[in-house]
């Protein structure tokens, strides 16, 4: 018996900021591995300089081999355009694997394009569940998991979710969280390079960092008003710094809140990854509706309040580092933030692995190759 000597060709599909962070950790290992050739496809889901280009520069991600330039649209239109464009790349490149990350429309489009062409799919961050089917992200992650051949789960909870849904044990790989890999790698770099605290005249532990972008909050005028009026109340006592997502900006303008908000909250443009890390590490508390920011808050041991009905990162709630409050009124939001400022530190724990998730993912690809490409 001998092993075929061709490299494994992997197409990685990314499109949004959280995926750039995850891809940075995995791509660094993939491209050091002689048996692997990676081709990076950027769908263009996040397409402006602050939301995309600066991340590639700071994270030292190779420039995309393909930039599909899809841009914004409704969920159906965006996913459909991505599906068509990714399919063309797959026809041309004929990869051995398609690798997708997380739970965005780019994730689902990459998985669907591959599975329709009988190309194996690997899903990083598999098995997460909020159990809220009204969230587009929940639908994306469930469908992607059930279309995938290898499911790289970040936590034991994610593994159990996949088992309950009947996914074969041999498809599930518990590897840890690649965002923890990134936090360990880039944390020190941020301290050396970022000047965001000086630029904004912020002192450590004397501000709250907030991020709001999910459609369930931005597209509901009552929730949006409750969140930002709650922020304004708290901002009378402690500065609230909020990198403003384009979707959130548009929503604030539409409901007539933007002019009121800019007078009470420190709104800034979306920032690069290293600046975001510095803002997170030095905040007194973090308020967010982002799954990635919840985890980063925990990595840097900063108390977090999540303005949603639920979270897929239940370990953070169990450890006491994250609290969940639905933003149903400004009083509930402001009271939740004040309580979080006074909360004691959560329990110590390491539910997201040992910081070597990317290495385990690459080794899993190589092991799969050796099992399936032996010839006489």
């Amino acid at each position: 018996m001998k092993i075929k000597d061709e490299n494994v060709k992997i197409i990685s599909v990314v499109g949004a900021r959280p995926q750039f962070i995850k891809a940075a950790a995995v791509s660094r290992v993939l491209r050091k591995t002689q048996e692997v050739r990676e081709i990076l496809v950027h769908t263009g889901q996040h397409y402006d300089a602050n939301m995309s280009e600066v991340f590639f520069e700071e994270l030292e991600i190779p420039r995309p081999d393909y930039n599909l330039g899809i841009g914004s649209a409704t969920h159906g239109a965006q996913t459909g355009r991505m599906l068509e464009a990714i399919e063309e790349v797959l026809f041309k490149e004929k990869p051995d694997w398609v690798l997708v990350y997380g739970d965005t429309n780019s994730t689902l489009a990459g998985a669907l394009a591959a599975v329709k062409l009988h190309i194996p799919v690997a899903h990083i961050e598999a098995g997460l569940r909020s159990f809220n089917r009204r969230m587009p992200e929940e639908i994306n992650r469930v469908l992607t998991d059930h279309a995938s051949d290898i499911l790289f789960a970040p936590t034991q909870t994610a593994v159990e979710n996949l088992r309950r849904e009947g996914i074969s044990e041999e498809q599930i790989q518990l590897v840890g969280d690649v965002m923890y890999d990134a936090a360990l790698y880039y944390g020190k770099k941020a301290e050396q390079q970022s000047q965001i605290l000086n630029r904004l005249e912020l002192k450590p532990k004397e501000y709250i960092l907030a991020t709001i972008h999910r459609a369930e909050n931005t597209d509901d005028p009552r929730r949006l008003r409750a969140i930002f009026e709650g922020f304004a109340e708290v901002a009378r006592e402690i500065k609230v710094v909020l990198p403003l997502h384009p979707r959130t900006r548009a929503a604030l303008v539409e409901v007539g809140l933007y002019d009121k908000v800019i007078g009470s909250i420190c709104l800034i443009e979306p920032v690069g990854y290293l600046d975001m890390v510095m803002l997170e590490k030095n905040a007194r508390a973090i308020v967010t509706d982002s799954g990635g920011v919840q985890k980063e808050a925990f990595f840097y041991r900063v108390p977090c309040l999540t303005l949603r009905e639920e979270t897929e990162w239940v370990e953070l709630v169990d450890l006491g580092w994250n609290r969940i409050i639905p933003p149903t009124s400004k009083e509930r939001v402001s009271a939740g933030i004040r309580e979080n400022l006074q909360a004691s530190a959560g329990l110590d724990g390491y539910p997201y692995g040992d910081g070597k998730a990317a290495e385990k993912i690459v080794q899993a690809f190589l092991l799969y190759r050796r099992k399936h490409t032996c010839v006489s």
Side-chain angles (χ1 to χ4, degrees):
M1 298 288 285
K2 64 178 181 179
I3 303 290
K4 289 183 179 179
D5 58 3
E6 302 93 17
N7 289 344
V8 180
K9 183 190 283 190
I10 298 173
I11 283 186
S12 297
V13 178
V14 298
R17 281 172 59 138
Q19 293 170 326
F20 305 153
I21 300 167
K22 297 162 196 170
V26 177
S27 183
R28 188 181 308 110
V29 181
L30 282 174
R31 296 190 181 226
K32 290 192 300 185
T33 305
Q34 290 184 349
E35 297 170 84
V36 175
R37 180 188 169 204
E38 184 191 29
I39 296 171
L40 189 62
V41 175
H42 180 5
T43 65
Q45 183 170 336
H46 283 172
Y47 50 87
D48 66 16
N50 284 341
M51 298 292 283
S52 177
E53 290 181 16
V54 68
F55 266 52
F56 281 89
E57 294 169 6
E58 291 186 341
L59 296 171
E60 301 166 335
I61 305 174
R63 305 308 297 176
D65 298 280
Y66 294 89
N67 193 326
L68 306 181
I70 302 300
S72 297
T74 63
H75 284 289
Q78 186 183 62
T79 307
R81 291 168 191 164
M82 290 177 181
L83 182 58
E84 181 180 15
I86 293 169
E87 185 179 63
E88 291 182 9
V89 175
L90 299 185
F91 274 129
K92 178 180 178 181
E93 294 290 349
K94 298 179 174 58
D96 299 297
W97 284 92
V98 169
L99 181 61
V100 295
Y101 295 81
D103 55 18
T104 71
N105 289 340
S106 299
T107 311
L108 180 60
L112 287 176
V115 76
K116 294 284 188 177
L117 296 176
H118 309 292
I119 298 169
V121 178
H123 184 201
I124 290 177
E125 216 173 64
L128 301 187
R129 297 292 182 268
S130 67
F131 302 102
N132 178 2
R133 290 296 181 99
R134 293 182 61 84
M135 291 175 58
E137 296 87 354
E138 182 78 351
I139 300 302
N140 289 345
R141 61 174 73 110
V142 170
L143 293 177
T144 299
D145 281 344
H146 285 266
S148 296
D149 297 88
I150 297 182
L151 299 102
F152 293 118
T155 66
Q156 187 61 44
T157 301
V159 170
E160 296 302 328
N161 289 337
L162 295 170
R163 286 172 175 164
R164 280 195 296 269
E165 293 176 14
I167 291 176
S168 170
E169 195 76 30
E170 65 182 16
Q171 294 176 260
I172 304 170
Q173 299 266 352
L174 176 60
V175 295
D177 195 318
V178 295
M179 286 192 71
Y180 186 41
D181 294 24
L184 293 176
Y185 185 84
Y186 291 106
K188 292 182 179 178
K189 186 177 179 181
E191 292 179 358
Q192 295 167 353
Q193 296 188 17
S194 174
Q195 296 297 316
I196 188 75
L197 298 187
N198 291 335
R199 192 162 69 245
L200 298 179
E201 299 181 346
L202 298 174
K203 295 182 179 179
K205 308 305 177 185
E206 293 189 6
Y207 64 91
I208 293 170
L209 176 65
T211 74
I212 298 295
H213 78 280
R214 284 192 182 268
E216 65 196 78
N217 288 330
T218 61
D219 296 356
D220 184 332
R222 290 176 298 178
R223 291 171 76 101
L224 188 70
R225 187 173 296 276
I227 290 168
F228 280 90
E229 289 184 350
F231 286 169
E233 287 287 324
V234 173
R236 296 175 182 175
E237 304 160 23
I238 182 172
K239 182 174 284 191
V240 177
V241 179
L242 191 148
L244 191 58
H245 192 286
R247 175 196 289 159
T248 312
R249 180 189 293 273
L252 289 170
V253 170
E254 184 175 346
V255 300
L257 273 176
Y258 182 77
D259 289 338
K260 297 178 182 178
V261 165
I262 60 176
S264 56
I265 302 170
C266 178
L267 295 181
I268 61 175
E269 292 297 316
V271 296
Y273 182 58
L274 299 183
D275 282 345
M276 190 63 178
V277 166
M278 280 300 285
L279 288 173
E280 290 169 341
K281 292 182 73 170
N282 289 281
R284 183 170 167 188
I286 291 174
V287 185
T288 190
D289 60 7
S290 162
V293 173
Q294 291 174 50
K295 285 189 297 178
E296 287 167 345
F298 171 70
F299 297 153
Y300 304 124
R301 297 304 194 259
V302 177
C304 183
L305 180 70
T306 298
L307 298 180
R308 283 169 50 184
E309 303 290 334
E310 70 289 299
T311 181
E312 52 275 31
W313 301 107
V314 294
E315 302 84 8
L316 303 179
V317 178
D318 294 341
L319 288 169
W321 284 100
N322 192 12
R323 297 172 63 243
I324 309 297
I325 291 186
T328 52
S329 70
K330 69 176 182 180
E331 292 81 11
R332 192 169 192 185
V333 171
S334 59
I337 295 172
R338 291 188 179 102
E339 289 172 11
N340 215 42
L341 289 172
Q342 303 302 321
S344 58
L347 300 173
D348 204 8
Y350 297 89
Y352 300 115
D354 56 5
K356 297 180 180 179
E359 294 176 20
K360 294 173 184 176
I361 288 166
V362 174
Q363 287 305 311
F365 278 123
L366 297 180
L367 180 60
Y368 190 95
R369 171 181 181 266
R370 291 176 187 124
K371 285 182 176 179
H372 293 82
T373 61
C374 290
V375 294
S376 302

